[in-house]
Amino acid sequence: MRVPDTIAAVKGFRDVLPDESRRWRALEEAAERVFARYGFGEIRLPVVERTELFARSLGETTDIVEKEMYSFADRDETGLTLRPEATAGVVRAYLESGLAQSDPSARLFYRGPMFRRERPQRGRYRQFYQIGAEVLGRDDPLADAELLVMLDRYLAGVGARATRLELNSVGDRVCRPVYRERLREFGRAHLAGLCPDCHRRLERNPLRMLDCKVESCQEIMARAPVVADSLCEGCRAHLAQVRALLEQERVDYTMNPRLVRGLDYYCRTAFEVVADGLGAQNAVGGGGRYDGLVAALGGPDIAGVGFALAARAVGPALALATRLRDGGLAVGLEPEGRSLKALLRTADRRHARLAVILGEEELEAGRATVRDLVRHQDRRQFLPLDASGPELVRSVQAMIGGGE
Ligand code: HAM
């Protein structure tokens, strides 16, 4: 009898099993709780939108629109796309539902799957999940600062202390054209070293050369003029006020004058949440201001600012477990909230060889404490949180196999 072949999930798509979905639920519940205190209500958006929505809002020459969207023709030939992000959909809904008139300074949050046909690599999937929040109708720096305070409190609340907030301003319609021209000049002077895609970007959208993934282009662009040096008076003042408010509220952040985002709709404030120990793709979230977007989608001249976090790696425990599991080790993951003693009892019941402990102290120090549950050694052993997968696996094997 012929045994039928099994069918695997599509490349870049995956299942979320109970260990992980429990963790996600905790992140979503925390978002609901924290965001509600700042006046956000949940919006549930369709997963499919007209392709034109993304082409118009994200920018025709962004990587996402050029090569990463899942687009298809519906049976009636309408061009449709699985949403690669949700800000465009939020703005569409804000206009279509009449919120733009009835509640112009609406605060909306969302969660759900997004789709980008990226090269699969650690932490990047073709279907991934975001939690995001958008403030419409506010162009004042207080709105940016309030959003960033909320983001900071949320991250602290879910125990993601190993993350860093990076901030910049990407200019506005006054000063961005000046910067674009400076980049173009720089690009022309280094034309020979740039890839064919960047030759095209140079004319159409020179900012996109800054996030080219080709290594030789990255080396050249690392020496390009930075946007922070081209800001107009209005953008400088806006940024200075956002920073003053963040400092007042003791939100930790670092300025990154090279930070530009991969989407064209940004204006002024731009930021990323970066986590160490995740390799090249180390941003777990990002966002910024998008003052021209509502108008670009046919609405009035209304401002907006928001962010999205990938639900994947906000938990450093999950990041650590994933690296160990990718290296072939069996790892059970328990959420926080129970006593260490109870957690160790569970580990014992499951006949775990080692217990890896990631509490507040460990997150501060950037390393997990390891307990040998069989040999009950007193000698303290650690796993650095920023080590690569293979290094982690080697350390664990040495702990299991290596004598005293
Ligand atoms: P984004 O930077 O494109 O921004 O995405 C936000 C976060 O989603 C990224 O920092 C990254 O962690 C995660 N992400 C993106 N692509 C993938 C992937 N293929 N696999 C796993 N995670 C991924 C936006 O999406 C904007 N809509 C954010 C925003 C809201 N700006 C203003 N409001």
Side-chain angles (χ1 to χ4, degrees):
M1 201 176 73
R2 196 174 163 273
V3 182
D5 293 336
T6 55
I7 299 172
V10 178
K11 188 173 171 190
F13 291 73
R14 67 189 189 117
D15 307 302
V16 178
L17 299 178
D19 259 3
E20 199 180 340
S21 64
R22 193 185 315 136
R23 177 81 199 156
W24 283 17
R25 195 160 55 240
L27 293 174
E28 289 179 9
E29 284 168 7
E32 255 175 70
R33 217 172 33 245
V34 176
F35 297 0
R37 282 187 229 140
Y38 291 77
F40 287 79
E42 184 175 7
I43 181 165
R44 298 200 180 202
L45 296 160
V47 165
V48 173
E49 299 273 5
R50 288 174 193 271
T51 301
E52 199 194 332
L53 175 72
F54 302 113
R56 249 210 265 170
S57 39
L58 314 190
E60 300 268 8
T61 49
T62 54
D63 273 2
I64 297 182
V65 172
E66 274 189 346
K67 42 192 175 202
E68 294 175 354
M69 296 206 302
Y70 283 96
S71 300
F72 56 97
D74 199 357
R75 284 171 197 273
D76 67 1
E77 299 305 318
T78 314
L80 301 179
T81 292
L82 294 181
R83 62 177 183 192
E85 62 98 59
T87 310
V90 167
V91 172
R92 181 208 39 77
Y94 171 76
L95 290 171
E96 192 171 346
S97 66
L99 276 177
Q101 279 81 42
S102 63
D103 183 14
S105 50
R107 294 177 169 218
L108 302 164
F109 85 91
Y110 51 85
R111 57 183 135 184
M114 310 292 155
F115 304 84
R116 297 184 194 176
R117 200 173 190 292
E118 286 187 48
R119 190 169 62 81
Q121 50 186 309
R122 184 142 67 81
R124 305 301 272 198
Y125 298 96
R126 292 178 169 178
Q127 173 174 340
F128 59 100
Y129 294 80
Q130 284 185 344
I131 295 177
E134 314 287 348
V135 176
L136 278 308
R138 291 274 304 273
D139 62 7
D140 54 307
L142 181 60
D144 311 50
E146 204 188 349
L147 187 81
L148 288 169
V149 171
M150 177 173 95
L151 178 58
D152 177 74
R153 296 303 189 267
Y154 172 69
L155 290 172
V158 296
R161 286 191 185 77
T163 56
R164 212 173 47 244
L165 176 64
E166 293 194 350
L167 182 69
N168 196 20
S169 171
V170 295
D172 63 3
R173 57 193 115 172
V174 177
C175 53
R176 190 97 58 91
V178 179
Y179 177 59
R180 205 174 285 138
E181 221 20 72
R182 291 183 65 191
L183 264 188
R184 211 171 256 142
E185 272 166 35
F186 176 87
R188 286 198 190 111
H190 295 84
L191 204 58
L194 296 172
C195 74
D197 272 349
C198 280
H199 285 192
R200 207 167 29 83
R201 292 177 181 130
L202 179 70
E203 297 310 326
R204 292 181 64 193
N205 191 353
L207 253 87
R208 296 277 65 90
M209 298 190 299
L210 291 166
D211 43 45
C212 180
K213 293 176 180 111
V214 176
E215 211 172 299
S216 49
C217 293
Q218 287 180 352
E219 276 167 25
I220 293 174
M221 295 315 290
R223 302 192 303 269
V226 299
V227 60
D229 291 337
S230 296
L231 298 182
C232 62
E233 231 3 87
C235 287
R236 277 180 206 281
H238 195 277
L239 178 63
Q241 290 182 48
V242 173
R243 296 186 59 178
L245 290 164
L246 292 181
E247 273 143 38
Q248 177 191 307
E249 296 310 308
R250 299 189 196 293
V251 172
D252 275 337
Y253 69 93
T254 45
M255 287 305 294
N256 176 356
R258 298 203 163 267
L259 177 75
V260 289
R261 309 253 312 124
L263 310 167
D264 280 353
Y265 55 57
Y266 290 108
C267 142
R268 295 193 165 169
T269 311
F271 54 87
E272 275 181 354
V273 178
V274 178
D276 295 321
L278 291 176
Q281 297 291 341
N282 62 353
V284 295
R289 181 159 276 294
Y290 45 86
D291 292 352
L293 182 57
V294 182
L297 293 178
D301 190 9
I302 288 180
V305 58
F307 66 76
L309 292 167
R312 63 175 167 117
V314 185
L318 178 59
L320 188 60
T322 302
R323 274 174 285 160
L324 292 171
R325 286 165 173 158
D326 286 348
L329 296 171
V331 181
L333 191 61
E334 289 296 315
E336 63 261 288
R338 287 194 296 150
S339 71
L340 183 60
K341 212 167 135 197
L343 290 170
L344 289 175
R345 253 202 319 271
T346 306
D348 241 326
R349 244 196 331 270
R350 294 198 184 141
H351 307 292
R353 182 71 175 74
L354 302 174
V356 180
I357 300 157
L358 206 50
E360 270 186 45
E361 231 182 271
E362 281 82 7
L363 287 168
E364 284 296 4
R367 57 189 198 178
T369 306
V370 181
R371 282 223 204 157
D372 193 320
L373 297 177
V374 174
R375 284 196 291 234
H376 294 288
Q377 292 162 320
D378 284 334
R379 190 160 59 88
R380 308 255 289 166
Q381 305 188 92
F382 302 102
L383 286 177
L385 293 181
D386 60 359
S388 70
E391 284 166 32
L392 287 171
V393 172
R394 267 197 302 278
S395 309
V396 169
Q397 277 162 349
M399 291 173 189
I400 298 172
E404 292 302 299

